[in-house]
């Protein structure tokens, strides 16, 4: 046996011994790790005692660059270290045993260590922790589906029931939206639906956290744009449909409309089918609407020319009776923000207060007289930023670098925007990935919401979990609620959170149940989009080593849920969710279709992949005629 391996793989006895000695040295580091971290290890809950030890073994293993060793082990068919996460020491010992047999026992195997998590036990621990946190899995699908509830779920029992029936395993309520009254109605609908559908669903509530956002902007008068449909030659193929409704009536039209305008009820009541209503639009162009239907609550009008109208635009009846008003003014039209258009090289002033922001003021076409300005919602960050640090806006669409820091403002030079520029609006996220922010993870709103969460949720998600202190703060507040606390999920959405993940896991494992969500939206901005694939993999590995379940989140099948048509990249991304214990879908008008598609993807992938391990199911494509026929001669 040894001679055959030596010949085939060009490895002699000394090579095998060198591989073994390298692995023995790594193993010694792994075995020493629990003693070095005894204080951390002693504090974890009994449910996680073996898992915490396995995590320490894994971290000790991954302090080494294993690539040269992996290549040499692969030549021997022993490259299993790449799938060692849930049973690290057992894997290393299995490789050492094989090497010992190949070397004819020239060196002594190390003594067996107590409480080793073996191959079967490691997988069972992860499965058990996932079931405790997220509930039971669906038959033929090992990965759960979490769905974020829209506001309508508070008033629509059928929606909640249908989502549960399609395959939702966890209902997620985002505390950044709605209020306790509406949250309670969502949960009541779920509990009622559970009886109807016949299965349990976990309630997961997401604390909003300290989301840093841009401040308000100057509002400009709202303008309603009316455009008929045209073909490629510019010919009208369908007129624009406009719903004219009374000022105090519901603004929602009875069927889809291109525009909805409010007008005095008495004036509307006299309109007749076929009548023409004329007006001068905001461009001083003469335009007209034709009344095509008089209905309850309003009138339907059509337009064959483009028009722009605003609050106060006068509509004139052409055949009004003398006793009736001939003109009526369009009622309030929602105002619009005046966004800030930013190009590379522009300066942006970020202010400490929430003074209304404004675009830059120019003299002529080029010279900037006053730079653009916008406020931020959490001015405390001004104390933590430094010159030269990066700043990103609107989920990474616009980026810059901090050039100067003054008592009341920060000067930013824009370095990242499209060539034609990008528009910055109010209430858009701000990320400071280079800055060591001292923000508390729990805001005053979170603490107010926590009383409801502790009473009604199975799981609470800690947004922007960055440090052990953040984890301990939530644990303390939950412990003071006087009720059994819900399980905690750490949302990893910042660079600091990712870098501090091992320590935060040990803090979270002081409770009987915990989990991690990979919140890939902010995380991509914080770590860099090009590095996200690497970071999310590392989070999966570390959590598997700790036997802590992972929720794969952010933009999964987003265009399918929103537009009923997925992108190819989305399907591949959804399939990657098979490596987590749960996949989160966001709300959208086509979320039921998204659940069905995700359920189908996860069922199919189950036969092919478990975590990092390829299952090697029989492939239909392998039944090729190549194995049955010869290539024709000539």
């Amino acid at each position: 046996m040894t001679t055959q391996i030596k010949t085939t793989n060009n490895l002699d006895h000394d090579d095998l011994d060198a591989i073994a000695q390298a692995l023995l040295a790594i193993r010694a580091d792994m075995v020493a790790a629990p003693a070095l971290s005894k204080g951390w290890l002693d504090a974890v809950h009994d449910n996680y005692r073996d898992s915490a030890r396995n995590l320490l073994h894994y971290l000790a293993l991954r302090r080494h660059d294993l690539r040269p060793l992996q290549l040499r082990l692969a030549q021997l068919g022993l490259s299993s270290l790449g799938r060692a996460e849930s049973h690290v020491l057992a894997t290393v010992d299995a490789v050492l045993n094989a090497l010992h047999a190949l070397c004819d026992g020239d060196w002594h195997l190390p003594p067996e260590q107590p409480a080793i998590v073996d191959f079967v036990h490691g997988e069972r621990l992860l499965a058990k922790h996932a079931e405790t946190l997220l509930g039971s899995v669906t038959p033929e699908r090992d990965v759960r589906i979490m769905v974020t509830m829209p506001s309508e779920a508070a008033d629509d029992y059928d929606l909640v029931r249908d989502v549960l029936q399609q395959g939702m395993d966890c209902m997620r309520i985002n505390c950044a939206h709605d209020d306790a009254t509406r949250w309670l109605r969502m949960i009541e609908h779920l509990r009622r639906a559970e009886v109807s559908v016949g299965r349990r669903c976990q309630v997961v509530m997401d604390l909003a956290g300290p989301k840093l956002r841009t401040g308000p902007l100057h509002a400009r008068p709202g303008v309603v744009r009316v455009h008929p449909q045209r073909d490629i030659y510019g010919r009208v193929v369908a007129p624009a449909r406009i719903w004219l409704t009374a000022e105090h009536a519901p603004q929602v039209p009875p069927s889809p409309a291109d525009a909805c305008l409010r007008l005095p009820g008495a004036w509307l009541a006299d309109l007749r089918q076929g009548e023409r209503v004329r007006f001068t639009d905001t461009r001083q162009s003469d335009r007209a609407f034709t009344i095509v239907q008089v209905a309850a609550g309003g009138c339907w009008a059509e337009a064959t020319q483009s028009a722009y109208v605003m609050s106060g635009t006068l509509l004139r009846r052409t055949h009004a009776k003398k006793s009736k008003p001939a003109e009526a003014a369009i009622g309030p039209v929602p105002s619009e923000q005046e966004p800030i258009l930013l190009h590379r090289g522009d300066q942006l002033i970020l202010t400490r207060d929430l003074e209304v922001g404004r675009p830059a003021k120019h003299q002529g076409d080029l010279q900037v007289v006053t730079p653009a300005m916008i406020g931020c919602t959490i001015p405390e960050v001004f104390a933590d930023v430094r010159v030269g640090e990066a700043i990103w806006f609107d989920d990474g669409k616009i980026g810059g670098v901090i050039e100067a820091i003054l008592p009341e403002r920060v000067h930013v030079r824009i370095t990242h925007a499209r060539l034609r520029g990008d528009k910055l609006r109010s209430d858009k996220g701000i990320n400071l990935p280079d800055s060591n922010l001292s923000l508390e993870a729990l805001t005053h709103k979170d603490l107010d919401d926590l009383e409801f969460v502790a009473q009604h949720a199975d799981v609470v998600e800690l947004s922007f979990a960055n440090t052990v202190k953040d984890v301990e703060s939530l644990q303390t507040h939950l412990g003071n609620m006087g009720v059994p606390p819900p399980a905690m999920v750490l949302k990893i959405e910042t660079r600091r959170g990712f870098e501090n993940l091992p320590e935060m896991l040990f803090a979270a494992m002081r409770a009987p149940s915990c989990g991690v969500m990979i919140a890939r939206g902010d995380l991509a901005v914080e770590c860099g989009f090009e590095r996200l694939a690497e970071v999310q993999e590392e989070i999966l590995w570390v959590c598997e080593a700790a036997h802590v379940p992972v929720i794969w989140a952010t933009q999964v099948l987003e265009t399918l849920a929103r537009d009923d048509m997925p992108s190819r990249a989305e399907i591949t991304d959804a399939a990657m969710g098979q490596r987590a214990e749960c996949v989160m879908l966001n709300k959208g008008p086509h979320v039921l279709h998204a659940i069905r598609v995700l359920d189908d993807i996860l069922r199919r992938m189950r036969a092919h992949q478990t975590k990092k391990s390829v299952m090697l199911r029989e492939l239909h494509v392998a039944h090729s005629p190549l194995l049955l026929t010869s290539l024709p001669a000539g």
Side-chain angles (χ1 to χ4, degrees):
M1 175 69 74
T2 306
T3 304
Q4 182 183 0
I5 291 175
K6 191 170 95 173
T7 303
T8 304
N9 300 292
N10 298 317
L11 289 171
D12 58 21
H13 188 279
D14 291 340
D15 290 328
L16 293 172
D17 185 70
I19 294 172
Q21 295 305 319
L23 196 54
L24 283 166
I26 292 171
R27 186 186 187 280
D29 289 345
M30 294 167 56
V31 171
L36 297 174
S37 304
K38 189 175 185 304
W40 289 92
L41 191 59
D42 289 345
V44 303
H45 193 276
D46 287 344
N47 290 357
Y48 283 101
R49 191 76 62 192
D50 290 344
S51 301
R53 187 181 296 274
N54 189 72
L55 175 57
L56 291 171
H57 289 158
Y58 183 72
L59 295 174
L61 175 71
R62 295 308 302 269
R63 288 196 188 102
H64 299 267
D65 185 351
L66 299 172
R67 288 174 294 179
L69 185 59
Q70 277 282 78
L71 290 173
R72 298 173 80 181
L73 287 170
Q75 295 177 16
L76 298 167
L78 299 176
S79 181
S80 57
L81 297 179
R83 297 186 297 276
E85 280 75 15
S86 65
H87 36 70
V88 190
L89 194 55
T91 300
V92 171
D93 284 349
V95 175
L96 283 169
N97 280 320
L99 286 171
H100 190 263
L102 291 174
C103 290
D104 298 325
D106 285 0
W107 41 269
H108 293 292
L109 284 169
E112 204 171 298
Q113 295 297 312
I116 291 177
V117 178
D118 62 24
F119 295 86
V120 175
H121 187 41
E123 293 177 0
R124 285 178 178 171
L125 278 173
L126 179 55
K128 177 184 176 183
H129 294 161
E131 183 168 352
T132 301
L133 180 74
L134 302 166
S136 301
V137 291
T138 302
E140 300 180 10
R141 170 161 55 79
D142 291 334
V143 179
R144 298 147 187 88
I145 295 176
M146 179 182 294
V147 182
T148 301
M149 288 294 101
S151 297
E152 305 90 84
D155 304 312
D156 190 346
Y157 162 74
D158 291 341
L159 170 63
V160 177
R161 182 202 58 209
D162 292 346
V163 169
L164 180 64
Q165 203 161 31
Q166 286 300 326
M168 176 178 71
D169 302 292
C170 303
M171 170 196 272
R172 176 174 175 264
I173 297 174
N174 188 349
C175 295
H177 305 289
D178 304 310
D179 55 29
T181 301
R182 298 186 68 80
W183 301 336
L184 182 58
R185 291 210 298 269
M186 293 178 191
I187 295 171
E188 288 172 344
H189 287 161
L190 176 66
R191 298 308 180 210
R192 177 183 163 196
E194 287 175 334
V195 176
S196 172
V197 176
R199 63 188 187 88
R200 182 78 162 73
C201 178
Q202 296 287 85
V203 173
V204 180
M205 298 196 70
D206 187 322
L207 299 175
K211 183 67 174 176
L212 181 62
R213 294 186 176 274
T214 53
L217 287 169
H218 177 71
R220 61 190 179 193
V223 176
V224 176
R225 304 160 183 84
V226 177
H227 298 295
Q229 294 182 32
R230 300 179 185 273
D231 62 18
I232 60 172
Y233 303 105
R235 298 175 300 205
V236 174
V237 295
R241 283 172 53 82
I242 306 100
W243 174 245
L244 307 179
T245 185
E247 288 175 327
H248 302 295
Q251 193 168 1
V252 179
S255 61
D258 297 304
C260 182
L261 303 176
R262 291 181 177 275
L263 289 153
W267 186 84
L268 277 177
D270 283 336
L271 290 177
R272 296 294 178 262
Q273 185 173 337
E275 186 173 354
R276 299 264 290 174
V277 176
R278 299 189 179 277
F279 61 94
T280 301
D281 77 356
T282 60
R283 303 168 301 167
Q284 300 304 304
S285 298
D286 292 331
R287 292 291 184 262
F289 293 152
T290 300
I291 306 302
V292 296
Q293 183 184 357
V294 178
C299 299
W300 282 105
E302 291 183 349
T304 56
Q305 291 179 294
S306 296
Y308 295 76
V309 299
M310 59 188 294
S311 179
T313 298
L314 292 175
L315 303 188
R316 300 183 300 277
R317 295 185 63 196
T318 53
H319 300 291
K321 295 179 181 179
K322 291 183 180 180
S323 59
K324 302 290 184 180
E327 293 184 335
I330 292 175
V333 172
S335 60
E336 298 177 344
Q337 290 182 3
E338 186 174 7
I340 299 173
L341 182 62
L342 294 170
H343 297 83
R344 296 177 195 174
D346 286 352
Q347 188 180 61
L348 174 67
I349 296 175
L350 196 65
T351 64
R352 178 182 288 271
D353 57 24
L354 290 177
E355 178 184 352
V356 176
R358 50 163 174 73
K361 295 180 180 178
H362 294 81
Q363 183 176 27
D365 294 333
L366 297 175
Q367 186 177 356
V368 176
V369 177
T370 308
M373 179 188 77
I374 197 166
C376 70
T377 55
I378 308 179
E380 290 82 1
V381 301
F382 277 56
D384 299 324
V385 299
R386 300 291 180 266
V387 171
E389 292 179 339
I391 183 169
W392 294 89
F393 302 91
D394 195 4
D395 292 334
K397 293 183 177 68
I398 302 170
V401 63
I402 295 172
E403 282 193 331
I405 302 169
L406 303 176
E408 299 299 325
R409 56 185 57 196
V410 168
H411 291 200
V412 175
R413 184 67 60 183
I414 301 301
T415 58
H416 180 92
R418 288 180 290 188
L419 289 177
R420 65 174 181 268
D422 277 294
K423 293 178 179 178
L424 180 61
R425 293 178 167 84
S426 69
D427 200 36
K428 296 299 179 182
I430 302 175
N431 291 88
L432 294 156
D434 299 339
S435 305
N436 188 17
L437 302 181
S438 55
L439 295 175
E440 295 288 338
L442 296 174
T443 66
H444 292 300
K445 179 185 183 320
D446 295 332
L447 295 177
D448 290 340
D449 294 341
L450 203 54
E451 185 173 349
F452 179 94
V453 172
Q455 292 283 345
H456 297 93
D458 300 301
V459 179
V460 56
E461 293 179 344
L462 178 62
S463 295
F464 302 100
N466 288 323
T467 65
V468 169
K469 180 183 174 184
D470 296 336
V471 180
E472 292 173 339
S473 176
L474 179 55
Q475 288 172 332
T476 299
H477 283 98
L478 287 173
N480 294 334
M481 291 291 172
V483 294
M488 183 193 306
V489 165
L490 310 179
K491 287 180 65 180
I492 306 303
E493 46 195 326
T494 66
R495 185 188 298 177
R496 287 179 70 205
F498 166 64
E499 292 169 349
N500 292 329
L501 178 59
E503 292 86 353
M504 288 196 296
L505 281 175
F506 265 90
M509 287 191 290
R510 295 170 190 166
S513 181
C514 66
V516 163
M517 173 181 281
I518 310 178
R520 298 180 298 163
D522 280 292
L523 189 60
V525 179
E526 289 269 332
C527 296
F529 284 85
E530 66 282 356
R531 201 186 165 209
L532 177 62
E534 175 188 10
V535 169
Q536 64 190 21
E537 285 288 323
E538 291 190 28
I539 295 173
L540 284 168
W541 300 338
V542 170
C543 289
E544 185 181 0
H547 308 132
V548 168
V550 172
I551 302 165
W552 184 263
T554 314
Q555 295 182 324
V556 178
L557 297 179
E558 185 174 71
T559 58
L560 174 59
R562 185 185 64 228
D563 304 325
D564 207 24
M565 182 61 69
S567 69
R568 293 169 180 82
E570 278 186 341
I571 297 297
T572 303
D573 177 67
M576 278 286 292
Q578 174 65 29
R579 299 174 66 172
E581 282 62 53
C582 183
V583 178
M584 189 191 89
L585 290 174
N586 224 325
K587 54 194 173 186
H590 304 285
V591 69
L592 292 177
H593 187 195
I595 296 171
R596 289 194 296 270
V597 170
L598 180 58
D599 178 74
D600 183 62
I601 290 171
L602 294 174
R603 287 172 187 264
R604 292 174 184 273
M605 289 303 298
R606 180 192 188 197
H608 294 283
Q609 188 91 26
T610 297
K611 289 295 187 179
K612 291 165 64 178
S613 297
V614 178
M615 302 305 293
L616 296 180
R617 190 209 75 181
E618 175 192 9
L619 293 181
H620 298 299
V621 73
H623 293 275
S624 168
L626 287 170
L627 301 178
L628 303 175
T629 59
S630 300
L631 188 68

